[in-house]
Amino acid sequence: MANFHVPDMGCGGCVSTIERVVKKLDPEARIAADLGAKTVAIETPVAVATLQDALKKAGFPATLQNAA
Ligand SMILES: [Cu+2]
C-alpha cells in the first residue's frame, strides 16, 4: 500500500482519471482517494516510480507520503 499526496486532484473527475491511469497499469489495483486531504492510497504490486510516472503524465504529480 502506497499513500500519495496529489495536490492537483480537485474533483470527482480528477479521481476518475487517476483511477483509470492506475487501472491501466494494474486492473486489480485497489484505490482509495480522499478529495479533502488530496491523497490517494493505492494497493498494487506496481512499482511506486511507475505509478508516479503515469500519474505525472496524466497531469497529476504525486508525492509519496508513506509506503507499507
Ligand atoms: Cu477534477
Side-chain angles (χ1 to χ4, degrees), residues 14-62:
C14 299
V15 174
S16 301
T17 302
I18 288 165
E19 287 180 344
R20 197 166 62 239
V21 166
V22 173
K23 295 219 177 216
K24 214 168 158 184
L25 295 167
D26 173 14
E28 306 294 313
R30 288 181 55 205
I31 305 155
D34 182 333
L35 266 180
K38 296 194 186 299
T39 58
V40 182
I42 303 174
E43 200 174 319
T44 173
V46 176
V48 164
T50 304
L51 290 170
Q52 284 177 310
D53 189 53
L55 288 171
K56 192 177 175 185
K57 278 179 184 150
F60 296 99

